[in-house]
Amino acid sequence: GEDVEQSLFLSVREGDSSVINCTYTDSSSTYLYWYKQEPGAGLQLLTYIFSNMDMKQDQRLTVLLNKKDKHLSLRIADTQTGDSAIYFCAERRNSGYALNFGKGTSLLVTP
Amino acid sequence: ETGVTQTPRHLVMGMTNKKSLKCEQHLGHNAMYWYKQSAKKPLELMFVYSLEERVENNSVPSRFSPECPNSSHLFLHLHTLQPEDSALYLCASSQDVTAGVYNEQFFGPGTRLTVL
């Protein structure tokens, strides 16, 4: 399909791990990104992964990439209430000028 | 603070008004973008400018008119908008628009537009 797909909502307890999943559209996409949007703010780049990598770890964040299935996931370890936000998956295709975004996953972290 | 600022942060306008949104980037980037973020929809790319030249216009109605006077400033001129144009308008910039390479986009905080 043409859309980057994400589940719309995820709720976790503080201290648990969160896993946000994404299916992207173009198997030739070179870079895949995770952006975070807090209420009233713009999008902030959290992390990215290059398409020749399977995994990337950055402190509490782990990104897994399955190119065969065009599946990307973001794992947040020891989730905190400050992690509550909307998380967007985006792909950088080989054609076109901009990023192709999903609709975003709203993460709610409860105490 | 991402280095991209947008003004105003909130705007309420009637359908017959004319207003402008402003974006400024302090990052020395060559590319700037306008996105529309509506509830429950993916971010929609509206316009892309590279070195002050428009390189993409994604079937945006003519009531939205972009202007890029230099590589640091981007405007979105609005006239005779419709209520369905109410949304968060996000500006972004990146080093350039080269496809297939890492090209982080830095976003401003957005302008929340309400059309009555």
Side-chain angles (χ1 to χ4, degrees):
Chain A
E2 288 299 313
D3 293 340
V4 174
E5 301 283 351
Q6 298 179 242
S7 53
L8 292 181
F9 299 103
L10 176 65
S11 180
V12 300
R13 284 180 178 263
E14 194 173 17
D16 288 351
S17 292
S18 310
V19 180
I20 303 172
N21 294 302
C22 167
T23 304
Y24 59 98
T25 68
D26 189 346
S27 58
S28 68
S29 290
T30 49
Y31 285 91
L32 297 135
Y33 303 82
W34 284 104
Y35 279 85
K36 176 183 180 183
Q37 185 179 32
E38 295 181 354
L43 276 68
Q44 172 196 1
L45 181 68
L46 270 185
T47 187
Y48 70 93
I49 188 167
F50 186 48
S51 58
N52 70 351
M53 300 168 67
D54 299 325
M55 184 182 88
K56 181 179 179 182
Q57 186 146 6
D58 184 0
Q59 299 182 329
R60 293 191 295 123
L61 306 178
T62 304
V63 179
L64 295 178
L65 175 61
N66 180 331
K67 280 190 71 175
K68 175 175 164 290
D69 296 335
K70 293 184 283 187
H71 185 263
L72 184 72
S73 68
L74 173 70
R75 179 176 180 270
I76 306 173
D78 186 26
T79 315
Q80 303 297 307
T81 54
D83 295 323
S84 293
I86 303 175
Y87 291 81
F88 292 89
C89 168
E91 63 181 339
R92 182 78 165 99
R93 293 171 166 166
N94 262 334
S95 62
Y97 294 104
L99 301 178
N100 191 27
F101 284 87
K103 293 181 183 180
T105 300
S106 290
L107 174 65
L108 176 66
V109 183
T110 56
Chain B
E1 188 65 46
T2 61
V4 181
T5 58
Q6 289 186 243
T7 53
R9 294 293 308 276
H10 300 273
L11 178 62
V12 179
M13 60 188 287
M15 289 191 284
T16 57
N17 292 158
K18 288 185 180 180
K19 296 285 185 185
S20 296
L21 310 185
K22 179 182 175 184
C23 176
E24 185 173 357
Q25 57 98 358
H26 311 274
L27 301 168
H29 288 165
N30 294 319
M32 296 188 78
Y33 311 76
W34 279 117
Y35 286 89
K36 177 183 178 182
Q37 186 179 23
S38 306
K40 307 231 180 356
K41 292 173 76 172
L43 264 73
E44 299 171 69
L45 178 67
M46 300 176 73
F47 302 104
V48 182
Y49 276 82
S50 175
L51 296 169
E52 300 135 57
E53 192 176 317
R54 191 189 312 179
V55 296
E56 188 153 321
N57 175 354
N58 269 3
S59 304
V60 180
S62 59
R63 56 187 184 267
F64 295 91
S65 174
E67 179 191 0
C68 189
N70 55 62
S71 59
S72 300
H73 293 86
L74 184 65
F75 294 88
L76 188 63
H77 304 300
L78 316 171
H79 64 97
T80 59
L81 294 192
Q82 305 297 311
E84 60 263 30
D85 296 321
S86 298
L88 182 68
Y89 289 85
L90 292 165
C91 173
S93 72
S94 65
Q95 186 59 52
D96 57 40
V97 293
T98 308
V101 299
Y102 178 72
N103 212 356
E104 180 182 349
Q105 290 187 16
F106 293 79
F107 283 81
T111 296
R112 173 68 62 187
L113 175 67
T114 303
V115 182
L116 302 176

